[in-house]
């Protein structure tokens, strides 16, 4: 069954610390994405990747790095976590096709930076 | 500037009642519009996608319309169930492939009470 698995599901981090969020997909999808969701706002794209070993900046990349070591895995890295990065983070994957296919989302990682 | 506006922000209905959720957008081009359901603490799950001018779709108790001239979509939920309690998110894609950007609304929180 197609799936996107995120880990951890929740994390508490200290300001200035390093945080790594992981995502694994079993859908054989080329595209993977990291979004953040803040209360009262729509999801915003942080980074995405369309092939292993390559990542692209999304709309709000500042303060975040991404890594795509394989087609299945995509990580989001906060080198120096800040209070403003407290949010729920979603990973998604999609086919590169042209049929308006829906991206598949993970269940999210709730990050609290204290 | 928010390009996808949803209304109402929240809505409470009694089980068995019908409800209508609204989505207005300014995204250009507007290749397609998708409605997602997000259960509390979960990821987004696609309900339906609308592509063409004056498109209408039906998926069980969910039905949706799209007016591309007015840049407006509605999601109708018929005979609501307690399990319909969730946030419903309107997303506009500016292309039909993964190369395009997805523009997310902030969602309508629907609460169905007995």
């Amino acid at each position: 069954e197609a799936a996107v698995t995120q880990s951890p599901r929740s994390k508490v981090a200290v300001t200035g610390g390093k945080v790594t969020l992981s995502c694994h997909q079993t859908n054989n999808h080329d595209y993977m994405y990291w979004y953040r969701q803040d209360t009262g706002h729509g999801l915003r794209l942080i980074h995405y990747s369309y092939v292993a070993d390559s990542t692209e900046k999304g709309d709000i990349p500042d303060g975040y790095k991404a890594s795509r070591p394989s087609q299945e895995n995509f990580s989001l890295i906060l080198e120096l976590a800040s209070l403003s990065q407290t949010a729920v983070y979603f990973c998604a994957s999609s086919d590169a096709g042209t049929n308006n296919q829906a991206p598949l989302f993970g269940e999210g990682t709730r990050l609290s930076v204290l | 500037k928010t390009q996808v506006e949803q209304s109402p922000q929240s809505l409470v209905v009694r089980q068995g009642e019908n409800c209508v959720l609204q989505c207005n957008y300014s995204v250009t081009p507007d290749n397609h519009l998708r409605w997602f359901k997000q259960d509390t603490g979960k990821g987004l799950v696609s309900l339906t996608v609308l592509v063409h001018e004056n498109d209408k779709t039906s998926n069980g108790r969910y039905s949706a319309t799209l007016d591309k001239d007015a840049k407006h979509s509605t999601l109708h939920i018929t005979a609501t169930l307690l399990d319909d309690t969730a946030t419903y998110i309107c997303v506009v894609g500016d292309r039909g492939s993964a190369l395009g950007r997805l523009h997310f609304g902030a969602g309508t929180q629907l609460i169905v009470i007995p």
Side-chain angles (χ1 to χ4, degrees):
Chain A
E1 184 179 307
V4 176
T5 305
Q6 294 183 229
S7 62
R9 290 295 318 279
S10 67
K11 182 169 182 66
V12 178
V14 295
T15 305
K18 182 177 180 178
V19 176
T20 300
L21 308 183
S22 300
C23 179
H24 178 80
Q25 56 110 348
T26 59
N27 311 316
N28 200 33
H29 285 166
D30 290 321
Y31 280 73
M32 295 187 75
Y33 312 84
W34 277 106
Y35 291 93
R36 68 176 279 172
Q37 185 178 42
D38 297 278
T39 303
H41 296 276
L43 270 70
R44 291 179 290 170
L45 182 64
I46 306 170
H47 284 288
Y48 67 99
S49 168
Y50 55 84
V51 68
D53 294 323
S54 178
T55 64
E56 306 292 332
K57 293 180 179 179
D59 299 321
I60 53 164
D62 292 346
Y64 302 94
K65 291 183 180 179
S67 172
R68 182 92 181 270
S70 63
Q71 187 194 38
E72 298 80 16
N73 296 293
F74 191 36
S75 297
L76 185 68
I77 303 145
L78 290 67
E79 295 278 4
L80 294 169
S82 66
L83 294 173
S84 64
Q85 293 177 312
T86 292
V88 180
Y89 291 85
F90 286 97
C91 177
S93 73
S94 73
D95 196 349
T98 58
N99 295 323
N100 301 313
Q101 294 182 22
L104 297 176
F105 284 84
E107 296 202 326
T109 295
R110 183 173 295 275
L111 174 65
S112 297
V113 182
L114 306 178
Chain B
K1 181 176 182 283
T2 302
Q3 296 193 64
V4 181
E5 300 275 2
Q6 292 187 242
S7 62
Q9 273 190 309
S10 62
L11 179 63
V12 179
V13 300
R14 289 201 178 277
Q15 182 177 349
E17 293 180 341
N18 302 333
C19 64
V20 181
L21 283 56
Q22 314 279 351
C23 178
N24 289 287
Y25 62 92
S26 58
V27 178
T28 300
D30 50 346
N31 176 274
H32 65 277
L33 185 147
R34 189 180 298 277
W35 285 94
F36 285 91
K37 179 185 181 187
Q38 183 181 22
D39 291 319
T40 301
K42 301 290 187 181
L44 284 67
V45 175
S46 177
L47 292 174
T48 190
V49 63
L50 303 113
V51 178
H52 306 294
E53 173 63 37
N54 295 323
D55 226 357
K56 293 181 181 179
T57 63
S58 182
N59 178 11
R61 294 179 299 99
Y62 299 101
S63 60
T65 66
L66 174 63
D67 180 343
K68 280 196 171 185
D69 278 345
K71 291 188 180 289
H72 177 75
S73 176
T74 60
L75 178 68
H76 297 247
I77 306 176
T78 304
T80 53
L81 302 173
L82 297 179
D83 282 349
D84 292 331
T85 294
T87 298
Y88 292 83
I89 297 174
C90 172
V91 182
V92 180
D94 58 19
R95 291 198 205 185
S97 72
L99 294 171
R101 276 288 201 271
L102 298 179
H103 302 265
F104 292 77
T108 291
Q109 185 180 23
L110 173 65
I111 299 172
V112 181
I113 59 175

